[in-house]
Amino acid sequence: MAETLRAGNAVDAEEAALEARWYACYTRSRAEKRVHAVLRERGVESYLPLAPREREWKDRRKVVDFPLFPSYVFGRFALSSVHRVLSVPGVATLVRANGRPVAIADEELENVRRFARALAAGEVHAEERPYFAEGEWVEVTEGPLTGLRGVVVEQRGRRRFLVGLKEIGQGFEVNVDVTALRIIATP
C-alpha cells in the first residue's frame, strides 16, 4: 500500500510539473515591462497589471502606466519549463514557499485583472499603502514617536498597526499609521 501511495504522489508531482499554472516572477527594479515582453517573445503567457499615475516634469504633466505590483510579473507556465523563465534577463527568482514555487490560483489572478481594469478605467481609485507582516521590525519615521523601533505584532483595521516598542522594554504597544513606518533590518 505504501508503495502505491508513493507511486501515486510521484505521478501527481509529474502531472503538476507539466500543468501550466500562474506564478509570480520577482524582477530587478524597474525591469517589469521588459521581462513581460521577453516572456511573451519566448512563448510564455505573461501578465503585468498596470495602474495609471500622473507624473509631473518641469515642462509637462503626463499619465504614465506603472506596475501595480512593483518588481513582479505573472507568468503562466509548467514547472518543467521553469528554466526558460528564470533565464529571462531581469527575472531574479520565482516567489517561493519552503523552497518551492508557489502557484497562484486562477481566481486570484482574475481578481487582480478586474481590479487593474477598474483602475485603468478610472472606476476606482487606490492609495498605495505599505504592507507589513506580523513580526517585521519597523521604525517610526514621523510624528512624536519618530526614531522608535519595534516589531509589528498585530494589524488593526486598514491603516493602523499595533507595534511593540523594544526601546522601553515593557511591551507597550501603540497604534501607528502605516505611512509613518518603514521596515528595518532586525536589530
Side-chain angles (χ1 to χ4, degrees):
M1 181 75 169
E3 297 287 329
T4 307
L5 288 176
R6 278 191 221 121
N9 289 340
V11 170
D12 291 343
E14 286 176 26
E15 286 177 14
L18 297 174
E19 181 185 345
R21 309 263 324 260
W22 285 104
Y23 296 93
C25 304
Y26 184 72
T27 69
R28 286 191 341 252
S29 179
R30 299 183 182 207
E32 303 92 350
K33 290 180 181 179
R34 182 71 186 136
V35 166
H36 175 61
V38 173
L39 283 172
R40 287 183 157 204
E41 288 170 12
R42 293 189 180 183
V44 175
E45 186 178 353
S46 176
Y47 177 59
L48 175 59
L50 298 172
R53 290 193 201 150
E54 189 173 292
R55 286 294 183 232
E56 185 175 337
W57 287 270
K58 247 170 135 175
D59 58 339
R60 69 188 185 284
R61 284 182 172 200
K62 186 176 179 180
V63 176
V64 181
D65 286 331
F66 283 89
L68 188 58
F69 302 106
S71 296
Y72 291 95
V73 174
F74 301 97
R76 184 177 180 86
F77 53 90
L79 284 179
S80 58
S81 62
V82 73
H83 178 70
R84 183 169 38 151
V85 173
L86 291 175
S87 65
V88 169
V91 173
T93 189
L94 298 179
V95 173
R96 299 171 187 267
N98 297 323
R100 305 189 110 175
V102 178
I104 299 169
D106 290 341
E107 299 81 31
E108 286 186 40
L109 202 67
E110 184 54 34
N111 286 338
V112 171
R113 285 182 195 270
R114 290 185 9 218
F115 180 70
R117 280 193 301 264
L119 272 175
E123 296 169 352
V124 295
H125 298 284
E127 277 184 54
E128 264 189 54
R129 291 287 184 187
Y131 174 77
F132 300 102
E134 289 183 21
E136 285 188 306
W137 283 90
V138 294
E139 181 176 2
V140 179
T141 59
E142 56 188 64
L145 302 177
T146 299
L148 287 177
R149 295 176 177 202
V151 64
V152 176
V153 292
E154 178 182 337
Q155 182 175 351
R156 289 230 171 144
R158 288 182 45 206
R159 297 183 174 193
R160 309 292 283 180
F161 282 77
L162 198 61
V163 179
L165 301 174
K166 181 181 176 189
E167 282 77 9
I168 54 180
Q170 293 293 319
F172 281 101
E173 297 171 347
V174 61
N175 286 324
V176 178
D177 193 311
V178 297
T179 61
L181 297 175
R182 73 175 177 87
I183 295 175
I184 59 173
T186 305

